[in-house]
Amino acid sequence: MKKIRKAVLPVAGFGTRVLPATKTIPKEMLPIVDRPALQYVVDEARAAGIEHFVFVTGRNKGAIEDYFDRAYELEYSLRQKGKTEIYEALDADTPEAGTMSFVRQQSALGLGHAIWCARDVIGDDPFAILLPDVLVKAKKSCLAQMVDAYYQVGGNIIAVDQVPHERVSNYGVIAPKGRQDGKRLIEMSAMVEKPAIADAPSNLKITGRYILQPEIMDILKTQAAGAGGEIQLTDAMAALMAKQSFHAYEYEGEDYDCGSKYGYFEAVVAYAMDHPEIGEEARNLLLSRCQNIGK
Ligand code: UTP
């Protein structure tokens, strides 16, 4: 079985749900306390053994390339002033030269189209996709959990998480084939985008982490626009399911949709409460604010 070495991170969307912040700042660069959301996702992928990152970017996303570059003046100044700890932390986050590629999606035609833009860099290898506006806070990296599952069953793997049944219409949902209680790896028979509550085949929502076989690119090449007039990854995966095996993996961890105002707020609170520097203060602040609610 081929190793999962490459990951595609699509970052070309407009981020309209978090305007006006995203008018000039890519939503993937919004800080979760002191680190951009994207840094957490790159860390998650690294912990899963990813060696090469393919960013699918668009206009106004230059800050992302600059973020992963060296900042010579800043680094020099930190060293001169003896701010060694800060310098070393920055240095540790800087990727090794040649481990990141940036391809451009000239028009935001949808997630499926964004993934297809990475086809030449991906080539014939199975690869991971991480949607960088979704953070998964977990003891073991969510993608690492999926990679372990991949080495058991191969094929294609989609991360899923349970949602209350009344909220299924907001998400892509999978249809499980059969499920053994307590097992996180689930064989799938179908997936549906935003089903009506009555028609939803399960309450397992698709969460923004995928391991896919390269044949998905051939399907995306001719994939017509679907829901919302966009070329949808879900439609292409549904077509690939007719030919290849698909499993869902119910990961252990909490996900935050930082592409929405409330999800972003939730993420900031959750990460602040566990932050090594400000965690205790953040927890105390929240506690005192909660005690004062309604007074
Ligand atoms: P979203 O639909 O969450 O991102 O796509 P968006 O389009 O930026 O969101 P809103 O609705 O305008 O707020 C999921 C991921 O796919 C990327 C986005 O950047 C995001 O990371 N994407 C989406 C692309 O790269 N290209 C696209 O054409 C669409």
Side-chain angles (χ1 to χ4, degrees), residues 27 99 112 121 147 184 195 225 278 283:
K27 72 172 162 184
T99 59
V121 190
V147 166
R184 295 189 173 274
I278 64 157
R283 289 192 297 273

Side-chain angles (χ1 to χ4, degrees), residues 18 30-32 256-269:
V18 275
L30 291 175
I32 308 295
Y256 301 96
D257 174 12
C258 296
S260 76
K261 291 183 184 68
Y262 185 72
Y264 175 70
F265 164 74
E266 265 190 306
V268 171
V269 171

Side-chain angles (χ1 to χ4, degrees), residues 164-176:
H165 206 78
E166 61 276 12
R167 285 178 48 208
V168 285
S169 310
N170 298 322
Y171 304 100
V173 172
I174 65 132

Side-chain angles (χ1 to χ4, degrees), residues 10-30:
V11 293
F14 290 125
T16 43
R17 285 169 294 156
V18 275
L19 277 169
T22 45
K23 193 172 166 191
T24 50
I25 305 168
K27 72 172 162 184
E28 301 79 10
M29 293 304 291
L30 291 175

Side-chain angles (χ1 to χ4, degrees), residues 9-19 22 27-28 56-58 61 105 107-115 130-134 230-231 257 259-260:
L9 289 84
V11 293
F14 290 125
T16 43
R17 285 169 294 156
V18 275
L19 277 169
T22 45
K27 72 172 162 184
E28 301 79 10
V56 182
T57 72
K61 300 281 181 165
Q105 185 190 25
S107 313
L109 298 179
L111 175 60
H113 181 260
I115 302 304
L130 298 100
L131 303 193
D133 49 359
V134 176
E230 296 196 340
I231 298 173
D257 174 12
S260 76

